[in-house]
Amino acid sequence: MLQIILKIVGMLILLLGVICIFDARVITKRLFGFGDQNEASMGLKIIGFILSMVGAFVIIIS
């Protein structure tokens, strides 16, 4: 039972990371001005990559 819960949590973290990577430009358009948009989208992509790695690690371990 615990393994199923860990896999679901890992998949959700992985999904959140992938969404951050692919929709970084769209997300930052709503939140930042044009000057800060490039730095913010790069930071969001890095955070998305880290979240994807954490989610994949949780799935592999469980």
Side-chain angles (χ1 to χ4, degrees):
M1 184 69 177
L2 182 63
Q3 290 178 347
I4 294 171
I5 293 172
L6 282 176
K7 285 191 181 203
I8 290 172
V9 169
M11 284 186 216
L12 290 174
I13 293 172
L14 183 70
L15 179 68
L16 183 65
V18 170
I19 288 172
C20 284
I21 291 171
F22 285 110
D23 290 339
R25 184 73 59 184
V26 176
I27 294 169
T28 55
K29 271 186 186 178
R30 294 184 204 160
L31 300 175
F32 298 103
F34 183 73
D36 296 332
Q37 187 176 356
N38 290 331
E39 290 100 15
S41 66
M42 185 177 65
L44 197 58
K45 286 182 181 186
I46 292 170
I47 290 171
F49 179 74
I50 293 170
L51 282 176
S52 298
M53 291 297 111
V54 169
F57 184 71
V58 169
I59 292 172
I60 290 171
I61 293 301
S62 62

